[in-house]
Amino acid sequence: DAKTTQPPSMDCAEGRAANLPCNHSTISGNEYVYWYRQIHSQGPQYIIHGLKNNETNEMASLIITEDRKSSTLILPHATLRDTAVYYCIVRITGGTSYGKLTFGQGTILTVHP
Amino acid sequence: NAGVTQTPKFRILKIGQSMTLQCTQDMNHNYMYWYRQDPGMGLKLIYYSVGAGITDKGEVPNGYNVSRSTTEDFPLRLELAAPSQTSVYFCASSSTGLAGGGYFGPGTRLTVT
């Protein structure tokens, strides 16, 4: 699996966009980028994933650079409830991977009033 | 749907004792996983299962055993508990593997003294 690098912590004002970066310079062509978050000791929650095109869902947007070596998770209007640890993971899908994920240290996002 | 449920929520074990952590999902998912999370760290995969009767080791399987006799249940057995097994244990399930999303349970906080 490609290694990812995330800043250990970030701050964001409530109501503003939170932009969480992730570097994955050794990503392979068949590896997807996934984002999960973990709110204060709860189980991780799936947010979004993508291969090379930008993706958007009701929770967030995922922007992947053209060379796929980095990506940004965007929470468009952060709220206090978005305070959590955000994990960026790269992984192939299908085959003998069986959908397993390897979690790193993640980024602690703190949204303040 | 209750989603993924785990019992107990908390448990204190003495060194050398054994216990079973229960995990049940009601979404008819084939894939199930057990992760552990030590304080301040990311999650590490202990065991996983791709269907009833099929299990395999993850990254840190030593000291644990699993079984999958039904689609719904995936219990994790600790034999001869050790202080190094003090951790929070998360069970997860998915229809296509966690790389496509998936759901985590609320966790079991285990202390071995």
Side-chain angles (χ1 to χ4, degrees):
Chain A
D1 299 341
K3 182 179 170 59
T4 62
T5 304
Q6 298 178 253
S9 63
M10 295 184 65
D11 288 330
C12 178
E14 189 177 21
R16 305 297 292 269
N19 297 291
L20 290 89
C22 180
N23 284 320
H24 31 79
S25 58
T26 60
I27 192 169
S28 301
N30 61 349
E31 288 183 311
Y32 285 68
V33 180
Y34 304 89
W35 285 85
Y36 277 73
R37 73 180 183 183
Q38 187 174 24
I39 297 173
H40 188 55
S41 300
Q42 296 178 19
Q45 177 188 25
Y46 166 79
I47 301 173
I48 198 167
H49 75 282
L51 182 62
K52 54 183 178 181
N53 296 322
N54 297 338
E55 302 287 345
T56 295
N57 63 21
E58 65 278 5
M59 289 183 67
S61 294
L62 174 60
I63 308 298
I64 303 174
T65 58
E66 193 168 341
D67 64 7
R68 301 187 69 239
K69 293 185 177 182
S70 65
S71 60
T72 301
L73 179 75
I74 301 173
L75 308 178
H77 305 286
T79 70
L80 299 179
R81 288 179 295 179
D82 292 321
T83 292
V85 180
Y86 287 78
Y87 296 100
C88 170
I89 304 165
V90 292
R91 182 75 232 209
I92 62 172
T93 60
T96 57
S97 71
Y98 300 120
K100 296 175 288 182
L101 295 175
T102 300
F103 290 80
Q105 300 275 72
T107 295
I108 300 171
L109 174 68
T110 303
V111 181
H112 50 84
Chain B
N1 286 349
V4 180
T5 58
Q6 292 183 238
T7 56
K9 286 186 170 57
F10 303 93
R11 183 73 186 268
I12 298 175
L13 279 182
K14 295 189 185 303
I15 295 171
Q17 288 185 320
S18 301
M19 76 165 294
T20 299
L21 282 66
Q22 302 291 345
C23 175
T24 299
Q25 52 92 7
D26 61 359
M27 298 170 282
N28 202 33
H29 287 167
N30 284 326
Y31 294 79
M32 296 188 74
Y33 309 80
W34 274 106
Y35 283 86
R36 60 176 284 176
Q37 185 174 33
D38 298 334
M41 306 295 287
L43 285 76
K44 292 187 186 300
L45 182 64
I46 306 172
Y47 270 95
Y48 67 100
S49 170
V50 300
I54 306 169
T55 63
D56 206 350
K57 296 176 180 178
E59 185 183 0
V60 289
N62 291 344
Y64 307 94
N65 279 301
V66 293
S67 60
R68 185 93 182 273
S69 57
T70 67
T71 299
E72 295 78 20
D73 300 307
F74 190 39
L76 178 71
R77 177 83 178 160
L78 277 72
E79 304 283 0
L80 299 174
S84 60
Q85 294 178 303
T86 292
S87 192
V88 181
Y89 292 83
F90 291 102
C91 178
S93 77
S94 173
S95 58
T96 59
L98 288 176
Y103 301 87
F104 279 79
T108 293
R109 190 175 298 274
L110 175 67
T111 301
V112 182
T113 61

